[in-house]
């Protein structure tokens, strides 16, 4: 017998499944942690399969050294999920299994204190005549007096007895000892009472229950911002826990969703494990092993929490299911929604997706019946969505206003400050457009290593590349034509802050973006200050668009809605709609609110739909656009990215791959089923000094292009510095 293992150490050389002999007297099981010899080292590994035969010389296999942890840390669902994901995304199974293990953590040693408790009951026809010892008699008397049912520790304490006494009675059939899980509901945090559901919430809850009890399809809960989706997640989670099964709650990013996390903690106490990047190695180990041991009944985390080793999964909730952060964009690539669906299928658990602006592909699935669609079209408060004004910025410019703010937004900011309301100004990219260019010849300062414009950072007075971190001083004259008229353009968050200070002297202004929150805890600080009313105007990026609920926020300004719209990508329209709708949804959740959306494209149907918060209208147009262009969900995409330090070798590899794809299509007679482009330079043709080319395949059949791409990639010996990546269902292809 041989054991296939994954070594618990994340290095490229160990990113494989290795086989060892199982010694005859070692009762090893799949999922356990073992010790193996690797070279001269002794390493920890997880057993993922037990097989009779291997295609590797038997003489060369070494024996397993010992079992280190009897607990089965990987359930069969995770092992199967890793195989599914490897096949789906064309990546190695070992890399997935390694991704499932928390980084840099030993699995050996004591498991966290389990909260399993033992309960003792009188057996049904207990015949006490056989009792001799005084201790045994005392145990039986106490138990009878207590109604025939006690927790073991209390029984032992009161009877001044030890476990062997009880065990002796159990062996005689007088007692029954059962194990149950004791839940510590964390009395430290006051548990919040439930809301009484609104009639609409009750109706939708009943619909979801009906679906879960019946056909069991994934449910897409489409509810406008503030419609009380979270309350439904909580109810369904509670019902799942009552059945003794666990819940995984996925959020786009832990640090950006403090309110969602808090609500779950307040309702369910310390039975909730929160997985986030701020945990120390020890905390991560405790959480992970605790989850595997069934100590926690609920896990909240970002996309990789889909791999949480809960022993008995009952429900996965995926909040803001449209968020792109659910797609991991480096190896192993995966979308948490795809894996969530599969994990639910494997375990019989239910999947609940929620969003105010569902992913077009998810909504399409709901429309064609692959998902069950449940809708919450009204806010709990009954309050209408905030009033939205769309402002044409090119008209402002023609009228002589070349400030960042339109007249309307200026007026609203002044009025709102005077009325004591809080304002939020949203720019959808940090350091956006703060590139430096020559007004004379148009020269733009680009990073020497990446094909992107460098961004100007006001505070530090330097240019920075957001891809590789390269910095450069601000040039005094144009390197191309020598003109001194070289300036930075446009509006970064810092510039908006300065503009607000000029407009509203004395107002308390803060900034929330990746740069301002690089320091640990600073997000939390700004968030708390905003809640406490210590900030009048908050300026920020995507980080403020999500899930936040500030009672006194009555004005939202979207500085330049076109930016998302103009990104050359198949999903840019969808992204622009989602962002604008989500940001607008921050306003007026508790008091009357207003939103000003500034744009150079006031006629854009996408922005107009976003301003009316009209998802249906957006969806109808967008799905038609996708259909006409034969884009997902009507076709599948796969991207092959080739990168190399040397342009010529990238081109050579790219051409050979394209030739191979063409050959296969001709041989299979599948030329009319697949379209492909390339090799062509990627939109970011160079990153960190590496040249990048791509080939994009498109077909109605994902398995077909997957097979063709895998073949084309397999038949290649890559030159030394060359790298090839298969990107199945990529986030974008531009
Ligand atoms: P969503 O997630 O759909 O944007 P939330 O779940 O955040 O909406 O709910 C919005 C607000 O309404 C929250 O403050 C929440 O506590 C409150 N809420 C939800 N359900 C109820 C209810 N049935 N009764 C009263 N308040 C509720
Ligand atoms: Zn110039
Ligand atoms: Zn760079």
């Amino acid at each position: 017998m041989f054991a296939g293992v994954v070594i618990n150490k994340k290095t490229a050389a160990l990113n494989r499944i290795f086989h060892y002999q199982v010694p005859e007297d070692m009762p090893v099981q799949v999922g356990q942690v073992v010790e193996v010899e690797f070279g001269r080292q002794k390493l920890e590994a997880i057993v993922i399969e037990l097989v009779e035969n291997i295609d590797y010389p038997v003489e060369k296999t070494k024996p397993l050294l010992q079992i280190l942890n009897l607990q089965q840390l990987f359930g069969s669902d995770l092992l199967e999920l890793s195989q599914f994901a490897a096949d789906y995304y064309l990546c190695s199974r070992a890399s997935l299994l390694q991704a499932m293990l928390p980084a840099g953590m030993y699995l050996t040693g004591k498991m966290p204190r389990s909260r399993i408790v033992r309960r003792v009951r009188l057996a049904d026809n207990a015949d006490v005549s056989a009792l001799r010892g005084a201790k045994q008699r005392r145990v039986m008397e106490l138990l009878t007096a207590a109604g025939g049912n006690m927790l073991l520790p209390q029984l032992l304490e009161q009877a001044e007895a030890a476990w062997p006494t009880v065990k002796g009675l159990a062996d005689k059939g007088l007692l029954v000892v059962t194990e149950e899980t004791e839940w510590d509901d964390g009395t430290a945090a006051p548990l919040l009472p439930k809301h009484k559901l609104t009639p609409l919430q009750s109706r939708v809850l009943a619909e979801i229950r009906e679906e879960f009890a019946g056909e069991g399809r994934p449910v897409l809960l489409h509810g406008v911002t503030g419609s009380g989706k979270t309350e439904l997640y909580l109810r369904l989670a509670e019902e799942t826990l009552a059945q003794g099964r666990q819940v995984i709650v996925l959020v786009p990013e832990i640090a950006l969703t403090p309110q969602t996390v808090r609500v779950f903690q307040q309702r369910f106490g310390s039975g909730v494990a929160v997985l986030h990047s701020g945990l120390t190695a020890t905390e991560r180990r405790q959480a992970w092993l605790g989850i595997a041991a069934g100590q926690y009944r609920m896990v909240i985390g970002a996309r990789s929490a889909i791999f949480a080793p809960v022993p008995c999964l009952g429900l996965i909730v995926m909040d803001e299911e449209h968020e792109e952060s659910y797609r991991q964009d480096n190896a192993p690539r995966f979308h948490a929604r795809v894996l969530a669906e599969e994990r639910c299928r494997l375990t019989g658990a239910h999947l609940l997706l929620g969003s105010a602006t569902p992913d077009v592909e998810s909504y399409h699935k709901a429309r064609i019946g692959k998902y069950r669609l449940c809708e919450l079209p009204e806010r709990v408060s009954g309050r209408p969505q905030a009033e939205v004004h769309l402002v044409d910025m090119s008209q402002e410019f023609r009228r002589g206003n070349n400030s960042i703010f339109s007249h309307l937004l200026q007026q609203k900011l002044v009025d709102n400050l005077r009325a004591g309301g809080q304002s939020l100004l949203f720019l959808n990219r940090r350091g956006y457009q703060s590139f430096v260019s020559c007004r004379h010849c148009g020269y733009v300062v680009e990073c020497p290593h990446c094909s992107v414009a460098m961004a100007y950072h006001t505070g530090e007075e330097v240019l920075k590349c957001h891809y590789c971190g390269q910095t450069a001083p601000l040039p005094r004259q144009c390197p191309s034509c020598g003109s001194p008229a070289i300036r930075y353009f446009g509006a970064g968050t810092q510039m908006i802050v300065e503009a607000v200070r000029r407009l509203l002297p004395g107002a308390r202004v803060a900034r929330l973006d990746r740069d301002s929150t690089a320091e640990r805890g600073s997000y939390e600080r700004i968030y708390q200050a905003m809640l406490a009313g210590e900030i009048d105007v908050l300026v920020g990026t995507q980080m403020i668009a999500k899930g936040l609920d500030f009672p006194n926020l009555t004005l939202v300004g979207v500085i330049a809605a076109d930016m998302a719209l103009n990104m050359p990508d198949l999903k840019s329209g969808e992204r622009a709609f989602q962002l604008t709708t989500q940001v607008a949804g921050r306003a007026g959740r508790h008091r009357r609110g207003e939103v000003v959306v500034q744009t150079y494209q006031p006629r854009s149907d996408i922005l107009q739909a976003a301003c009316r918060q009209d998802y249906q209208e957006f969806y109808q147009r967008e799905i038609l656009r996708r259909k006409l262009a034969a884009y997902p969900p009507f076709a599948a995409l796969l991207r092959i990215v080739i990168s190399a330090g040397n342009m010529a070798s990238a081109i050579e590899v790219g051409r050979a791959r394209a030739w191979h794809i063409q050959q296969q299509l001709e041989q299979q007679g599948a030329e009319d089923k697949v379209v492909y482009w390339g090799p062509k330079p990627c939109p970011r043709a160079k990153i960190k000094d590496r040249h990048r080319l791509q080939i994009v395949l498109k077909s109605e059949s994902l398995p077909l292009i997957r097979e063709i791409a895998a073949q084309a990639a397999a038949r290649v010996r890559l030159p030394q510095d060359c790298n090839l990546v298969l990107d199945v269902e990529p986030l974008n292809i531009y």
Side-chain angles (χ1 to χ4, degrees), residues 195-198 201 224-231 380 549 589:
H195 287 297
K196 190 173 172 306
L197 295 185
T198 64
Q201 280 174 317
V224 297
T225 51
S227 60
K229 294 185 287 297
T230 314
E231 189 60 36
V380 171
D549 187 357
R589 288 163 73 101

Side-chain angles (χ1 to χ4, degrees), residues 31-329:
Q32 285 177 336
V33 183
V34 292
E35 188 177 45
V36 298
E37 200 178 324
F38 193 86
R40 291 217 200 106
Q41 301 178 76
K42 286 180 180 173
L43 297 174
E44 255 188 12
I46 284 209
V47 178
I48 61 151
E49 60 182 11
L50 293 169
V51 289
E52 300 280 350
N53 299 303
I54 48 173
D55 46 8
Y56 183 78
V58 172
E59 325 75 77
K60 287 198 189 165
T61 57
K62 296 178 184 175
L64 292 179
L65 298 178
Q66 58 170 321
I67 300 175
L68 294 172
N69 196 333
L70 284 170
Q71 181 95 25
Q72 280 173 270
L73 291 183
F74 268 1
S76 60
D77 59 328
L78 282 181
L79 294 171
E80 283 181 48
L81 188 67
S82 67
Q83 188 62 59
F84 168 85
D87 295 341
Y88 194 100
Y89 290 106
L90 299 174
C91 58
S92 88
R93 188 173 174 215
S95 70
L96 276 148
L97 288 160
Q98 292 223 330
M100 291 179 178
L101 293 168
M105 179 191 98
Y106 287 101
L107 302 168
T108 314
K110 269 232 224 90
M111 295 292 286
R113 209 166 52 86
S114 160
R115 293 209 183 87
I116 303 285
V117 293
R118 281 189 265 193
R119 186 177 283 283
V120 187
R121 287 194 181 82
L122 278 182
D124 279 347
N125 306 307
D127 176 11
V128 284
S129 60
L131 282 183
R132 258 161 285 138
K135 263 190 197 160
Q136 289 197 340
R137 202 165 297 135
R138 206 158 58 232
V139 166
M140 293 303 284
E141 281 164 13
L142 258 167
L143 197 56
T144 312
N149 178 346
M150 277 179 98
L151 287 175
L152 179 68
Q154 276 140 25
L155 177 62
L156 294 181
E157 193 189 319
Q158 290 177 26
E160 292 174 4
W163 166 240
T165 314
V166 174
K167 181 153 189 310
L169 288 164
D171 290 346
K172 283 187 191 143
L174 296 172
L175 301 178
V176 181
V177 181
T178 54
E179 291 195 339
E180 47 188 66
T181 317
E182 178 195 44
W183 297 117
D184 169 5
D185 272 323
T187 36
L191 298 189
L192 276 190
K194 295 179 212 176
H195 287 297
K196 190 173 172 306
L197 295 185
T198 64
L200 182 60
Q201 280 174 317
S202 305
R203 208 171 63 224
V204 170
L205 182 62
E207 271 174 41
I208 299 174
R209 281 197 195 120
E210 174 204 84
E211 180 64 35
F212 285 171
E215 226 182 311
R217 289 172 295 177
V219 169
L220 176 61
L221 177 58
H222 173 214
V224 297
T225 51
S227 60
K229 294 185 287 297
T230 314
E231 189 60 36
L232 297 189
Y233 303 157
L234 292 163
R235 295 296 175 108
L236 291 158
E238 192 179 22
E239 288 169 15
T240 309
L241 301 178
Q243 294 159 10
R245 305 184 78 174
Q246 291 101 31
V247 178
I248 296 179
V249 180
L250 299 174
V251 293
E253 226 173 311
I254 284 285
L256 302 187
T257 46
Q259 285 176 332
T260 310
V261 174
R262 209 155 300 160
V263 166
F264 276 91
Q265 283 177 319
Q266 284 171 338
R267 198 68 73 78
F268 297 107
S270 59
V272 180
V274 182
L275 300 177
H276 59 90
S277 54
L279 294 180
T280 65
T282 317
E283 287 167 341
R284 208 162 347 133
R285 175 176 190 280
Q286 291 249 310
W288 201 84
L289 294 178
I291 293 164
Q295 180 191 11
Y296 295 105
R297 47 184 176 166
M298 189 179 290
V299 180
I300 304 184
R303 60 174 179 255
S304 52
I306 190 60
F307 300 133
V310 297
C312 188
L313 184 64
L315 174 70
I316 299 179
V317 174
M318 196 166 174
D319 192 24
E320 310 284 359
E321 65 89 36
H322 63 278
E323 283 288 337
E324 288 188 351
S325 55
Y326 284 124
R327 174 60 152 72
Q328 176 149 311
D329 213 13

Side-chain angles (χ1 to χ4, degrees), residues 435-554:
F435 58 88
V436 171
S437 72
C438 171
R439 302 226 165 169
H440 194 72
C441 75
Y443 173 89
V444 175
V445 181
E446 285 197 355
C447 171
H449 309 290
C450 312
S451 35
V452 292
M454 295 183 89
Y456 181 61
H457 286 239
T458 326
E460 304 148 84
E461 309 279 312
V462 291
L463 294 167
K464 236 187 225 170
C465 170
H466 287 166
Y467 277 81
C468 72
Q470 170 88 25
T471 59
L474 193 63
R476 279 157 196 260
Q477 41 172 251
C478 173
S480 171
C481 74
S483 159
I486 184 155
R487 315 247 138 86
Y488 64 83
F489 263 107
T493 44
Q494 291 165 330
M495 296 177 54
I496 296 176
V497 169
E498 283 156 26
V500 174
R501 292 214 168 104
R502 282 195 298 275
L503 179 70
L504 308 171
R508 296 161 300 174
V509 189
R511 181 164 70 97
L512 195 61
D513 61 20
R514 298 269 168 206
D515 291 330
S516 72
T517 55
E519 191 187 321
R520 209 181 150 162
S522 50
Y523 176 92
E524 181 69 18
R525 216 161 39 237
I526 296 172
Y527 165 73
Q528 290 297 347
M530 187 74 185
L531 263 190
E534 292 158 15
I535 295 173
D536 298 315
V537 183
L538 181 62
V539 178
T541 53
Q542 265 88 334
M543 291 179 95
I544 57 174
K546 297 169 197 167
L548 296 180
D549 187 357
F550 299 116
N552 199 29
L553 180 63
T554 41

Side-chain angles (χ1 to χ4, degrees), residues 405-446:
F405 305 133
S406 57
H407 281 300
L408 183 69
L409 184 52
Q410 289 178 10
Q411 195 53 50
K412 298 274 176 205
L413 279 167
V414 171
D415 291 349
N416 198 40
L417 181 67
R418 210 168 281 151
Q422 287 176 304
S423 304
L424 186 148
L425 296 176
F426 172 77
L427 186 75
N428 76 2
R429 256 263 160 103
R430 76 169 175 175
Y432 165 76
Q433 256 197 358
S434 52
F435 58 88
V436 171
S437 72
C438 171
R439 302 226 165 169
H440 194 72
C441 75
Y443 173 89
V444 175
V445 181
E446 285 197 355

Side-chain angles (χ1 to χ4, degrees), residues 32 55 140 203 237 273 292 336 351 506 518 575 586 638 715:
Q32 285 177 336
D55 46 8
M140 293 303 284
R203 208 171 63 224
L351 177 58
R575 219 171 288 142
R586 298 305 115 218
L638 194 158
R715 301 276 173 78

